[in-house]
Amino acid sequence: MKTLKQYFQEAVSGKWAIGHFNFSTADQLKAFVEAAAEVKSPIMVGTSEGEADFVGREQAVALVKSYQNEGYTVFLNADHHKSWETIKAAIDTGYDTVLIDASKLPFEENIELTKRVVEYAKSINPEILVEGELGYLRGSSEVQEKIEISQADYTKPEEAADFVARTGVDRLAVVFGNIHGIVTEQEEHLDIGHLKKIVQAVPETPLVLHGASGLPADEIKMAIQNGIANVHINTELRVAYHDTLHEELEKEPKETTPYKYLKPSYEEMKRMIKKYLELFGSVGKI
Ligand code: G3H
Ligand code: ZN
């Protein structure tokens, strides 16, 4: 299997993106990994701090390793880990890659913590990739009514260049109109002009689009054509998993066998992942 670093190099030069999908149950993970394999696409799967607490870090690593050992091209990311303690636990447990999200800290403190994580991760295993985050990404991975979008929250290109040079991160999460979650009383749009300015400032660094749920597909595509190499989706999957399961339980109220009542949600996850991987241009890239 190629390394995640190699896949990122190929994604940047080929103008496609690696999909990143969050999971908190083994059947979701199975659906993601199988869907990606069926269309010959590499895939990243992630656990946030909350998802990792629920699945168990050791268990998440063991599950993903079991797929890797069977030849699946899947990489495990510690998504939005915010403290030294939680990110160190992910690195020590064997995650393939981590996101140290210190974006709520003042700029210099973000650099300090991110640099510490990069140095620690590489000392444990030089193959571990570290993502940093810069800019204020509002919202959370759920259905919300409205989220304020302000250019003041965007990643500043000159800060991005300074941040990458001083921390040594392998990829950078950026803000250019994106928010976490879905909003019901507002439209989500990306500022591609701003993304281009960030790319000019850090042309060598793979850039990450978080919060892709709720964005128009053509804007995600345009972002990938203009330098985004990694796209994160969570809320749309959570909502579909929940709604499909809810419908199934209403339809078959007497069914108590989990592998039977979970099957429609699992199939819906597979269908959605294939649709995203097609959009991101990663189909056939294994
Ligand atoms: O890190 C997770 C993603 O950024 C998810 O964002 O919930 O808006 O899809 P989303
Ligand atoms: Zn995110």
Side-chain angles (χ1 to χ4, degrees), residues 12-178:
V12 170
S13 61
K15 290 190 187 298
W16 52 274
I18 301 171
H20 175 293
F21 308 101
N22 293 70
F23 71 96
S24 41
T25 67
D27 54 307
Q28 290 175 312
L29 175 64
K30 179 175 155 72
F32 299 171
V33 168
E34 288 178 358
E38 283 171 25
V39 297
K40 299 198 178 351
S41 169
I43 189 176
M44 285 168 74
V45 293
T47 57
S48 64
E49 290 176 331
E51 288 158 346
D53 283 344
F54 184 74
V55 179
R57 283 192 175 77
E58 291 282 355
Q59 289 68 26
V61 169
L63 277 167
V64 172
K65 277 216 175 351
S66 73
Y67 286 110
Q68 291 170 339
N69 291 340
E70 288 183 346
Y72 289 93
T73 306
V74 53
F75 301 94
L76 178 62
N77 182 43
D79 196 27
H80 293 289
H81 277 45
K82 294 182 178 156
S83 72
W84 169 253
E85 289 69 30
T86 57
I87 204 141
K88 181 177 180 301
I91 293 166
D92 291 344
T93 314
Y95 275 65
D96 300 303
T97 176
V98 296
L99 160 56
I100 174 64
D101 178 359
S103 58
K104 302 288 180 293
L105 296 179
F107 184 62
E108 288 298 326
E109 287 174 44
N110 185 353
I111 288 187
E112 198 182 320
L113 178 54
T114 304
K115 188 167 186 271
R116 186 179 175 201
V117 171
V118 172
E119 285 170 357
Y120 181 71
K122 306 290 174 183
S123 77
I124 298 292
N125 173 4
E127 300 257 293
I128 298 178
L129 298 187
V130 179
E131 175 182 345
E133 181 161 333
L134 203 53
Y136 184 13
L137 188 62
R138 292 178 189 256
S140 50
S141 287
E142 58 192 4
V143 180
Q144 306 146 112
E145 282 186 1
K146 265 189 173 185
I147 297 286
E148 188 197 330
I149 310 272
S150 156
Q151 290 197 355
D153 297 336
Y154 288 6
T155 307
K156 295 178 180 57
E158 61 288 358
E159 283 191 357
D162 195 20
F163 184 87
V164 167
R166 289 168 63 194
T167 59
V169 285
D170 298 290
R171 60 182 191 275
L172 183 65
V174 290
V175 182
F176 54 106
N178 44 322

